[in-house]
Amino acid sequence: MVCVEGVMTDYIFGKKKATEVAHSIWKHVVKKGDAVVDATCGNGYDTLAMLNMVADESCNGRVYSLDIQESALQNTASLLDGLPDPDKKEMVKLIATCHSKMEVVIPRGVNVRLVAFNLGYLPGGDKTLITKSDTTQLAMEAASRIVASGGLISMLVYVGHPGGMEEYDTVEGFASQLSVNDWICCKLQMLNRPLAPILVLVCKR
């Protein structure tokens, strides 16, 4: 098991990225055979990390990987094609849809342990195509309904582009209003780097 304390220390001293902190935390939540959601799959690196967490010998784990951009789904598929075990790729379901539609495409009754968001634009893609506050609000609401007790909603918000800070305000507003009886919410933010991505973690009791 990865040591979160070590990753956090490296993050504080500038040796690790927020994405690496997120992945280390996910590993303490997700178990073999679980179902998880990559709500914005981008270039597929989160999907691959999730797959390695849920994949078991019986191929019972499942990663629902969503993106509205076809290029993102193609990039993710190409990354998965490089897996040495082709059976593992079958545990990933690539879905062309907006993150706000996750409840529509994920089968009812699936016990989801993790829903992860990378909010902003597709790295290496068109920077004018970004996630938007209105659909992200709907997506977070959907995630809160499908994630299981003891599960996690992980949101890495990139704020250095037009619309990014507005979207972060939406994310923070959503997390801030959740009931303290049902949720534990926190954020990880570099105070002297105002354009650095902000990690918001929402745990369902």
Side-chain angles (χ1 to χ4, degrees):
M1 178 68 71
V2 66
C3 176
V4 174
E5 292 88 348
V7 176
M8 275 296 303
T9 300
D10 285 346
Y11 171 80
I12 291 168
F13 283 93
K15 298 177 182 178
K16 294 287 186 183
K17 298 179 180 179
T19 51
E20 294 171 289
V21 175
H23 287 185
S24 69
I25 293 170
W26 299 353
K27 290 177 181 178
H28 286 264
V29 176
V30 177
K31 301 178 179 64
K32 299 295 184 184
D34 278 345
V36 297
V37 179
D38 186 353
T40 51
C41 71
N43 288 318
Y45 297 109
D46 283 349
T47 291
L48 180 59
M50 291 177 178
L51 177 59
N52 288 328
M53 294 175 202
V54 304
D56 61 12
E57 293 181 357
S58 301
C59 296
N60 289 324
R62 176 69 72 178
V63 182
Y64 296 93
S65 190
L66 285 55
D67 210 288
I68 200 169
Q69 295 189 60
E70 185 61 33
S71 58
L73 296 170
Q74 291 173 353
N75 292 346
T76 300
S78 295
L79 184 67
L80 297 175
D81 284 339
L83 290 169
D85 182 357
D87 290 337
K88 288 182 71 174
K89 184 179 178 180
E90 299 305 312
M91 286 183 270
V92 178
K93 186 172 180 61
L94 297 174
I95 305 170
T97 192
C98 177
H99 55 343
S100 64
K101 305 294 185 183
M102 69 177 72
E103 276 183 298
V104 177
V105 297
I106 296 171
R108 187 180 299 274
V110 170
N111 193 38
V112 175
R113 290 287 294 176
L114 168 68
V115 181
F117 297 83
N118 263 328
L119 299 172
Y121 56 82
L122 175 65
D126 186 346
K127 293 184 179 181
T128 65
L129 297 176
I130 61 173
T131 51
K132 301 289 184 66
S133 295
D134 54 351
T135 51
T136 293
Q137 175 71 34
L138 295 173
M140 292 186 296
E141 292 171 359
S144 71
R145 290 189 291 267
I146 68 171
V147 73
S149 178
L152 179 71
I153 303 172
S154 172
M155 295 169 281
L156 189 60
V157 190
Y158 290 84
V159 297
H161 60 280
M165 189 56 72
E166 176 188 351
E167 187 169 32
Y168 168 69
D169 289 341
T170 299
V171 170
E172 185 177 52
F174 170 80
S176 297
Q177 58 81 38
L178 291 172
S179 167
V180 296
N181 295 321
D182 301 316
W183 299 90
I184 302 169
C185 308
C186 63
K187 67 178 178 179
L188 189 64
Q189 181 178 18
M190 289 286 188
L191 296 179
N192 63 342
R193 291 181 57 203
L195 299 183
I198 302 167
L199 179 61
V200 178
L201 299 167
V202 178
C203 179
K204 192 170 189 177
R205 293 184 186 272

PDB file of all heavy atoms in Angstrom, residues 148-162:
ATOM      1  N   ALA A 148     -21.007   5.177  -3.132  1.00  0.00           N
ATOM      2  CA  ALA A 148     -21.408   4.369  -1.985  1.00  0.00           C
ATOM      3  C   ALA A 148     -20.911   4.975  -0.678  1.00  0.00           C
ATOM      4  O   ALA A 148     -19.984   5.791  -0.656  1.00  0.00           O
ATOM      5  CB  ALA A 148     -20.855   2.956  -2.141  1.00  0.00           C
ATOM      6  N   SER A 149     -21.514   4.554   0.408  1.00  0.00           N
ATOM      7  CA  SER A 149     -21.036   4.945   1.729  1.00  0.00           C
ATOM      8  C   SER A 149     -19.597   4.467   1.905  1.00  0.00           C
ATOM      9  O   SER A 149     -19.266   3.326   1.583  1.00  0.00           O
ATOM     10  CB  SER A 149     -21.929   4.324   2.801  1.00  0.00           C
ATOM     11  OG  SER A 149     -21.465   4.651   4.088  1.00  0.00           O
ATOM     12  N   GLY A 150     -18.739   5.358   2.374  1.00  0.00           N
ATOM     13  CA  GLY A 150     -17.315   5.049   2.468  1.00  0.00           C
ATOM     14  C   GLY A 150     -16.555   5.347   1.200  1.00  0.00           C
ATOM     15  O   GLY A 150     -15.335   5.191   1.148  1.00  0.00           O
ATOM     16  N   GLY A 151     -17.282   5.797   0.170  1.00  0.00           N
ATOM     17  CA  GLY A 151     -16.667   6.124  -1.110  1.00  0.00           C
ATOM     18  C   GLY A 151     -16.212   7.574  -1.172  1.00  0.00           C
ATOM     19  O   GLY A 151     -16.398   8.353  -0.233  1.00  0.00           O
ATOM     20  N   LEU A 152     -15.633   7.932  -2.312  1.00  0.00           N
ATOM     21  CA  LEU A 152     -14.969   9.226  -2.450  1.00  0.00           C
ATOM     22  C   LEU A 152     -15.308   9.877  -3.783  1.00  0.00           C
ATOM     23  O   LEU A 152     -15.371   9.203  -4.817  1.00  0.00           O
ATOM     24  CB  LEU A 152     -13.451   9.023  -2.358  1.00  0.00           C
ATOM     25  CG  LEU A 152     -12.548  10.251  -2.499  1.00  0.00           C
ATOM     26  CD1 LEU A 152     -12.672  11.150  -1.264  1.00  0.00           C
ATOM     27  CD2 LEU A 152     -11.094   9.823  -2.699  1.00  0.00           C
ATOM     28  N   ILE A 153     -15.521  11.189  -3.740  1.00  0.00           N
ATOM     29  CA  ILE A 153     -15.570  12.019  -4.944  1.00  0.00           C
ATOM     30  C   ILE A 153     -14.309  12.872  -4.929  1.00  0.00           C
ATOM     31  O   ILE A 153     -14.061  13.616  -3.982  1.00  0.00           O
ATOM     32  CB  ILE A 153     -16.820  12.915  -4.980  1.00  0.00           C
ATOM     33  CG1 ILE A 153     -18.092  12.074  -4.876  1.00  0.00           C
ATOM     34  CG2 ILE A 153     -16.843  13.749  -6.263  1.00  0.00           C
ATOM     35  CD1 ILE A 153     -19.361  12.906  -4.715  1.00  0.00           C
ATOM     36  N   SER A 154     -13.504  12.730  -5.971  1.00  0.00           N
ATOM     37  CA  SER A 154     -12.215  13.420  -6.068  1.00  0.00           C
ATOM     38  C   SER A 154     -12.275  14.390  -7.238  1.00  0.00           C
ATOM     39  O   SER A 154     -12.542  13.985  -8.369  1.00  0.00           O
ATOM     40  CB  SER A 154     -11.101  12.389  -6.271  1.00  0.00           C
ATOM     41  OG  SER A 154      -9.862  13.013  -6.558  1.00  0.00           O
ATOM     42  N   MET A 155     -12.012  15.671  -6.965  1.00  0.00           N
ATOM     43  CA  MET A 155     -12.112  16.692  -8.010  1.00  0.00           C
ATOM     44  C   MET A 155     -10.832  17.516  -8.064  1.00  0.00           C
ATOM     45  O   MET A 155     -10.514  18.236  -7.112  1.00  0.00           O
ATOM     46  CB  MET A 155     -13.317  17.598  -7.740  1.00  0.00           C
ATOM     47  CG  MET A 155     -14.646  16.859  -7.830  1.00  0.00           C
ATOM     48  SD  MET A 155     -16.057  17.809  -7.213  1.00  0.00           S
ATOM     49  CE  MET A 155     -15.874  17.606  -5.435  1.00  0.00           C
ATOM     50  N   LEU A 156     -10.094  17.366  -9.152  1.00  0.00           N
ATOM     51  CA  LEU A 156      -8.901  18.171  -9.372  1.00  0.00           C
ATOM     52  C   LEU A 156      -9.285  19.284 -10.336  1.00  0.00           C
ATOM     53  O   LEU A 156      -9.627  19.019 -11.492  1.00  0.00           O
ATOM     54  CB  LEU A 156      -7.762  17.327  -9.932  1.00  0.00           C
ATOM     55  CG  LEU A 156      -6.398  18.015  -9.998  1.00  0.00           C
ATOM     56  CD1 LEU A 156      -5.929  18.440  -8.606  1.00  0.00           C
ATOM     57  CD2 LEU A 156      -5.362  17.106 -10.642  1.00  0.00           C
ATOM     58  N   VAL A 157      -9.247  20.515  -9.845  1.00  0.00           N
ATOM     59  CA  VAL A 157      -9.762  21.654 -10.601  1.00  0.00           C
ATOM     60  C   VAL A 157      -8.599  22.509 -11.087  1.00  0.00           C
ATOM     61  O   VAL A 157      -7.831  23.049 -10.282  1.00  0.00           O
ATOM     62  CB  VAL A 157     -10.710  22.510  -9.739  1.00  0.00           C
ATOM     63  CG1 VAL A 157     -11.434  23.534 -10.613  1.00  0.00           C
ATOM     64  CG2 VAL A 157     -11.716  21.639  -8.991  1.00  0.00           C
ATOM     65  N   TYR A 158      -8.488  22.637 -12.398  1.00  0.00           N
ATOM     66  CA  TYR A 158      -7.472  23.501 -12.996  1.00  0.00           C
ATOM     67  C   TYR A 158      -8.074  24.892 -13.171  1.00  0.00           C
ATOM     68  O   TYR A 158      -9.158  25.040 -13.740  1.00  0.00           O
ATOM     69  CB  TYR A 158      -6.995  22.921 -14.328  1.00  0.00           C
ATOM     70  CG  TYR A 158      -6.183  21.667 -14.145  1.00  0.00           C
ATOM     71  CD1 TYR A 158      -6.803  20.423 -14.002  1.00  0.00           C
ATOM     72  CD2 TYR A 158      -4.797  21.713 -14.070  1.00  0.00           C
ATOM     73  CE1 TYR A 158      -6.062  19.271 -13.801  1.00  0.00           C
ATOM     74  CE2 TYR A 158      -4.045  20.562 -13.868  1.00  0.00           C
ATOM     75  CZ  TYR A 158      -4.686  19.352 -13.739  1.00  0.00           C
ATOM     76  OH  TYR A 158      -3.944  18.214 -13.531  1.00  0.00           O
ATOM     77  N   VAL A 159      -7.367  25.899 -12.675  1.00  0.00           N
ATOM     78  CA  VAL A 159      -7.949  27.243 -12.586  1.00  0.00           C
ATOM     79  C   VAL A 159      -7.212  28.278 -13.428  1.00  0.00           C
ATOM     80  O   VAL A 159      -7.586  29.453 -13.426  1.00  0.00           O
ATOM     81  CB  VAL A 159      -7.981  27.716 -11.115  1.00  0.00           C
ATOM     82  CG1 VAL A 159      -8.876  26.808 -10.284  1.00  0.00           C
ATOM     83  CG2 VAL A 159      -6.572  27.768 -10.516  1.00  0.00           C
ATOM     84  N   GLY A 160      -6.187  27.872 -14.165  1.00  0.00           N
ATOM     85  CA  GLY A 160      -5.355  28.831 -14.881  1.00  0.00           C
ATOM     86  C   GLY A 160      -5.855  29.238 -16.245  1.00  0.00           C
ATOM     87  O   GLY A 160      -5.149  29.919 -16.984  1.00  0.00           O
ATOM     88  N   HIS A 161      -7.062  28.843 -16.608  1.00  0.00           N
ATOM     89  CA  HIS A 161      -7.632  29.195 -17.909  1.00  0.00           C
ATOM     90  C   HIS A 161      -8.929  29.971 -17.692  1.00  0.00           C
ATOM     91  O   HIS A 161      -9.523  29.906 -16.607  1.00  0.00           O
ATOM     92  CB  HIS A 161      -7.917  27.925 -18.720  1.00  0.00           C
ATOM     93  CG  HIS A 161      -8.887  27.002 -18.044  1.00  0.00           C
ATOM     94  ND1 HIS A 161      -8.518  26.144 -17.028  1.00  0.00           N
ATOM     95  CD2 HIS A 161     -10.228  26.821 -18.210  1.00  0.00           C
ATOM     96  CE1 HIS A 161      -9.574  25.470 -16.611  1.00  0.00           C
ATOM     97  NE2 HIS A 161     -10.626  25.870 -17.313  1.00  0.00           N
ATOM     98  N   PRO A 162      -9.391  30.703 -18.701  1.00  0.00           N
ATOM     99  CA  PRO A 162     -10.664  31.426 -18.561  1.00  0.00           C
ATOM    100  C   PRO A 162     -11.801  30.474 -18.203  1.00  0.00           C
ATOM    101  O   PRO A 162     -11.995  29.451 -18.855  1.00  0.00           O
ATOM    102  CB  PRO A 162     -10.868  32.038 -19.952  1.00  0.00           C
ATOM    103  CG  PRO A 162      -9.491  32.184 -20.506  1.00  0.00           C
ATOM    104  CD  PRO A 162      -8.730  30.991 -19.994  1.00  0.00           C
TER     105      PRO A 162
END
